[in-house]
Amino acid sequence: MTTSNPSQHALVIVGGSMAAVKAPSTLRRLREAGFETDVIAGRAALEFITPLSLSTAAGRQVATDETWFEARPDAQHLTLARTDVTVIVAASADLLARAAHGLASDLASATLLSVRGQVLWVPAMNEQMWTHPAVQANVTTLKSWGHSFLGPAQGAFGTLGEGTGTGRMAEPEEIAAAALALVSHPPDLQGLKLVVSAGPTREYLDPVRFISNPSSGKMGYAVAMEAQARGAAVTLISGPVNLPDPPGVTVVKVESAVQMHDAVLAAAADAQIVVMTAAVADYRAAEQKTEKEAKTAGEVSIQLVPNPDILAALGQHKSKRVLIGFAMETHAGVERAALKARRKNADFILLNYPTQQGTAFGGDDNQVTLVRPDGTAEAWPRLSKREVAARLLDEALKVRQSAR
Ligand code: CTP
């Protein structure tokens, strides 16, 4: 295994599950990987594992609710939160719920509210609990904040009689490798400004009705988070979505395509990379009524006029700026995407299909094909949107290098 930078620190939080017995070996693996470690054991964790075995493995005193109270007013949760990566092992449904709802009544949850580095959840619970909508909703919330998850895997549970299924915790070696991967982001976008657009636009017909589309914004937010983690100064121009602002990113909220056009062009003036993931409405009403339209008996028609094409406008003054678009096509995808890339002067377009399960609109994953203006294409496997973002940025850097 490669090792972390000498100064990197991992905070391990141990949850109340049978898998807590793997916490000491996880701590040892993290230290072998070069991390300095601290460890927090919640009250439930101490039912499964002794403070002495955790302290010995961490090379530090274990922090517990008792040490937290004794240390007051020194705010031990804030000191512990200053870490590069927080790894929650034997993560229970209870701990996931506390974190997702912002509780702070014990040391583990108060620390989780305060951490700013990477967060890696390693859940361990039986399949019935893991698949419950309440747990899955909490996982979705935590993922939307950029938290990562490892497992649970298929396999036997710790408790006799519970059988096999999804729920077994990942092995200490895998956990240490995943923690290392999270902090090993190359700071390869340092000194660069990246602008990314996300979400739908809303084209109002009158004060209460609008034309829009189901874009969730997740792809664009993933690009913003990934670019920020790799050192870029990031401006995110977002249509109306239901996602929290990514930490460390400048967020500009817009509604209509015209507003998005103006905001993107202003932010892009000094940017080296622009990524248009937004699903921009192609048309707006010719006339936007200032009062609500009353219903009439007969048919009505709405006259629509074209919106500005933001990517094409950027393409007209491209110079060395890297321009990346997205396209959703139902047929002849590669040809249509290549044509769009040429027409808009984009370096490449990531193409996806609206019909694929769990990908594109609203999903956490995406399956895209990279299409260049010359029609060459490269199909990527199904990946999380964060992984697609990482690859997209790798490609953007290749384009920058080849343009030099
Ligand atoms: N785009 C844009 N401004 C618009 C429309 C689209 O910047 N008014 C960007 C999108 O953000 C995306 C790319 O252009 O990155 C392709 O979007 P798409 O809707 O597929 O392109 P259109 O030109 O609208 O093509 P179509 O005729 O298929 O709708």
PDB file of all heavy atoms in Angstrom, residues 355-370:
ATOM      1  N   THR A 355     -33.058   7.231 -20.566  1.00  0.00           N
ATOM      2  CA  THR A 355     -33.833   6.013 -20.306  1.00  0.00           C
ATOM      3  C   THR A 355     -33.145   5.043 -19.350  1.00  0.00           C
ATOM      4  O   THR A 355     -33.730   4.071 -18.916  1.00  0.00           O
ATOM      5  CB  THR A 355     -34.092   5.297 -21.644  1.00  0.00           C
ATOM      6  OG1 THR A 355     -32.890   5.364 -22.403  1.00  0.00           O
ATOM      7  CG2 THR A 355     -35.228   5.936 -22.395  1.00  0.00           C
ATOM      8  N   GLN A 356     -31.843   5.296 -18.994  1.00  0.00           N
ATOM      9  CA  GLN A 356     -31.135   4.317 -18.165  1.00  0.00           C
ATOM     10  C   GLN A 356     -31.530   4.414 -16.695  1.00  0.00           C
ATOM     11  O   GLN A 356     -31.564   5.495 -16.131  1.00  0.00           O
ATOM     12  CB  GLN A 356     -29.618   4.504 -18.305  1.00  0.00           C
ATOM     13  CG  GLN A 356     -29.097   3.740 -19.493  1.00  0.00           C
ATOM     14  CD  GLN A 356     -27.728   4.221 -19.902  1.00  0.00           C
ATOM     15  OE1 GLN A 356     -27.209   5.185 -19.365  1.00  0.00           O
ATOM     16  NE2 GLN A 356     -27.139   3.540 -20.860  1.00  0.00           N
ATOM     17  N   GLN A 357     -31.800   3.270 -16.086  1.00  0.00           N
ATOM     18  CA  GLN A 357     -32.224   3.193 -14.682  1.00  0.00           C
ATOM     19  C   GLN A 357     -31.150   3.722 -13.734  1.00  0.00           C
ATOM     20  O   GLN A 357     -29.995   3.329 -13.838  1.00  0.00           O
ATOM     21  CB  GLN A 357     -32.465   1.721 -14.322  1.00  0.00           C
ATOM     22  CG  GLN A 357     -33.851   1.223 -14.658  1.00  0.00           C
ATOM     23  CD  GLN A 357     -34.851   1.671 -13.612  1.00  0.00           C
ATOM     24  OE1 GLN A 357     -34.571   1.611 -12.441  1.00  0.00           O
ATOM     25  NE2 GLN A 357     -36.001   2.147 -14.055  1.00  0.00           N
ATOM     26  N   GLY A 358     -31.537   4.580 -12.818  1.00  0.00           N
ATOM     27  CA  GLY A 358     -30.615   5.006 -11.754  1.00  0.00           C
ATOM     28  C   GLY A 358     -29.532   5.971 -12.188  1.00  0.00           C
ATOM     29  O   GLY A 358     -28.664   6.337 -11.419  1.00  0.00           O
ATOM     30  N   THR A 359     -29.545   6.362 -13.464  1.00  0.00           N
ATOM     31  CA  THR A 359     -28.525   7.304 -13.925  1.00  0.00           C
ATOM     32  C   THR A 359     -29.233   8.562 -14.419  1.00  0.00           C
ATOM     33  O   THR A 359     -30.450   8.632 -14.446  1.00  0.00           O
ATOM     34  CB  THR A 359     -27.679   6.695 -15.067  1.00  0.00           C
ATOM     35  OG1 THR A 359     -28.532   6.452 -16.177  1.00  0.00           O
ATOM     36  CG2 THR A 359     -27.014   5.404 -14.640  1.00  0.00           C
ATOM     37  N   ALA A 360     -28.441   9.538 -14.824  1.00  0.00           N
ATOM     38  CA  ALA A 360     -28.961  10.798 -15.355  1.00  0.00           C
ATOM     39  C   ALA A 360     -29.902  11.489 -14.360  1.00  0.00           C
ATOM     40  O   ALA A 360     -29.600  11.553 -13.186  1.00  0.00           O
ATOM     41  CB  ALA A 360     -29.617  10.572 -16.711  1.00  0.00           C
ATOM     42  N   PHE A 361     -31.095  11.942 -14.800  1.00  0.00           N
ATOM     43  CA  PHE A 361     -31.959  12.772 -13.956  1.00  0.00           C
ATOM     44  C   PHE A 361     -32.185  12.188 -12.569  1.00  0.00           C
ATOM     45  O   PHE A 361     -32.797  11.126 -12.411  1.00  0.00           O
ATOM     46  CB  PHE A 361     -33.322  12.958 -14.629  1.00  0.00           C
ATOM     47  CG  PHE A 361     -33.355  14.040 -15.669  1.00  0.00           C
ATOM     48  CD1 PHE A 361     -34.219  13.947 -16.751  1.00  0.00           C
ATOM     49  CD2 PHE A 361     -32.542  15.162 -15.581  1.00  0.00           C
ATOM     50  CE1 PHE A 361     -34.278  14.948 -17.713  1.00  0.00           C
ATOM     51  CE2 PHE A 361     -32.592  16.174 -16.542  1.00  0.00           C
ATOM     52  CZ  PHE A 361     -33.449  16.061 -17.608  1.00  0.00           C
ATOM     53  N   GLY A 362     -31.696  12.859 -11.561  1.00  0.00           N
ATOM     54  CA  GLY A 362     -32.020  12.512 -10.186  1.00  0.00           C
ATOM     55  C   GLY A 362     -31.211  11.390  -9.577  1.00  0.00           C
ATOM     56  O   GLY A 362     -31.161  11.264  -8.369  1.00  0.00           O
ATOM     57  N   GLY A 363     -30.556  10.537 -10.370  1.00  0.00           N
ATOM     58  CA  GLY A 363     -29.845   9.382  -9.824  1.00  0.00           C
ATOM     59  C   GLY A 363     -28.517   9.773  -9.197  1.00  0.00           C
ATOM     60  O   GLY A 363     -28.028  10.890  -9.381  1.00  0.00           O
ATOM     61  N   ASP A 364     -27.938   8.831  -8.437  1.00  0.00           N
ATOM     62  CA  ASP A 364     -26.621   9.088  -7.838  1.00  0.00           C
ATOM     63  C   ASP A 364     -25.507   8.662  -8.773  1.00  0.00           C
ATOM     64  O   ASP A 364     -24.350   9.011  -8.574  1.00  0.00           O
ATOM     65  CB  ASP A 364     -26.490   8.328  -6.510  1.00  0.00           C
ATOM     66  CG  ASP A 364     -27.344   8.966  -5.431  1.00  0.00           C
ATOM     67  OD1 ASP A 364     -27.458  10.213  -5.438  1.00  0.00           O
ATOM     68  OD2 ASP A 364     -27.904   8.235  -4.608  1.00  0.00           O
ATOM     69  N   ASP A 365     -25.842   7.851  -9.777  1.00  0.00           N
ATOM     70  CA  ASP A 365     -24.837   7.365 -10.723  1.00  0.00           C
ATOM     71  C   ASP A 365     -25.066   7.995 -12.093  1.00  0.00           C
ATOM     72  O   ASP A 365     -26.122   8.564 -12.349  1.00  0.00           O
ATOM     73  CB  ASP A 365     -24.958   5.845 -10.890  1.00  0.00           C
ATOM     74  CG  ASP A 365     -24.606   5.107  -9.613  1.00  0.00           C
ATOM     75  OD1 ASP A 365     -23.981   5.733  -8.729  1.00  0.00           O
ATOM     76  OD2 ASP A 365     -24.959   3.924  -9.511  1.00  0.00           O
ATOM     77  N   ASN A 366     -24.073   7.838 -12.919  1.00  0.00           N
ATOM     78  CA  ASN A 366     -24.213   8.312 -14.298  1.00  0.00           C
ATOM     79  C   ASN A 366     -23.416   7.397 -15.206  1.00  0.00           C
ATOM     80  O   ASN A 366     -22.345   6.912 -14.813  1.00  0.00           O
ATOM     81  CB  ASN A 366     -23.709   9.762 -14.412  1.00  0.00           C
ATOM     82  CG  ASN A 366     -24.479  10.550 -15.455  1.00  0.00           C
ATOM     83  OD1 ASN A 366     -25.235   9.973 -16.244  1.00  0.00           O
ATOM     84  ND2 ASN A 366     -24.288  11.842 -15.462  1.00  0.00           N
ATOM     85  N   GLN A 367     -23.953   7.150 -16.366  1.00  0.00           N
ATOM     86  CA  GLN A 367     -23.205   6.367 -17.353  1.00  0.00           C
ATOM     87  C   GLN A 367     -23.099   7.245 -18.584  1.00  0.00           C
ATOM     88  O   GLN A 367     -24.114   7.526 -19.223  1.00  0.00           O
ATOM     89  CB  GLN A 367     -23.943   5.074 -17.667  1.00  0.00           C
ATOM     90  CG  GLN A 367     -23.127   4.184 -18.580  1.00  0.00           C
ATOM     91  CD  GLN A 367     -23.484   2.725 -18.389  1.00  0.00           C
ATOM     92  OE1 GLN A 367     -24.567   2.396 -17.932  1.00  0.00           O
ATOM     93  NE2 GLN A 367     -22.570   1.854 -18.744  1.00  0.00           N
ATOM     94  N   VAL A 368     -21.897   7.688 -18.883  1.00  0.00           N
ATOM     95  CA  VAL A 368     -21.736   8.676 -19.943  1.00  0.00           C
ATOM     96  C   VAL A 368     -20.752   8.175 -20.991  1.00  0.00           C
ATOM     97  O   VAL A 368     -19.949   7.273 -20.746  1.00  0.00           O
ATOM     98  CB  VAL A 368     -21.240  10.036 -19.385  1.00  0.00           C
ATOM     99  CG1 VAL A 368     -22.211  10.597 -18.355  1.00  0.00           C
ATOM    100  CG2 VAL A 368     -19.845   9.930 -18.794  1.00  0.00           C
ATOM    101  N   THR A 369     -20.833   8.800 -22.151  1.00  0.00           N
ATOM    102  CA  THR A 369     -19.860   8.565 -23.218  1.00  0.00           C
ATOM    103  C   THR A 369     -19.217   9.903 -23.537  1.00  0.00           C
ATOM    104  O   THR A 369     -19.930  10.889 -23.753  1.00  0.00           O
ATOM    105  CB  THR A 369     -20.570   7.999 -24.473  1.00  0.00           C
ATOM    106  OG1 THR A 369     -21.184   6.769 -24.113  1.00  0.00           O
ATOM    107  CG2 THR A 369     -19.591   7.755 -25.609  1.00  0.00           C
ATOM    108  N   LEU A 370     -17.888   9.919 -23.513  1.00  0.00           N
ATOM    109  CA  LEU A 370     -17.197  11.163 -23.855  1.00  0.00           C
ATOM    110  C   LEU A 370     -17.150  11.262 -25.378  1.00  0.00           C
ATOM    111  O   LEU A 370     -16.695  10.329 -26.048  1.00  0.00           O
ATOM    112  CB  LEU A 370     -15.787  11.142 -23.268  1.00  0.00           C
ATOM    113  CG  LEU A 370     -14.933  12.393 -23.466  1.00  0.00           C
ATOM    114  CD1 LEU A 370     -13.956  12.553 -22.314  1.00  0.00           C
ATOM    115  CD2 LEU A 370     -14.158  12.374 -24.768  1.00  0.00           C
TER     116      LEU A 370
END
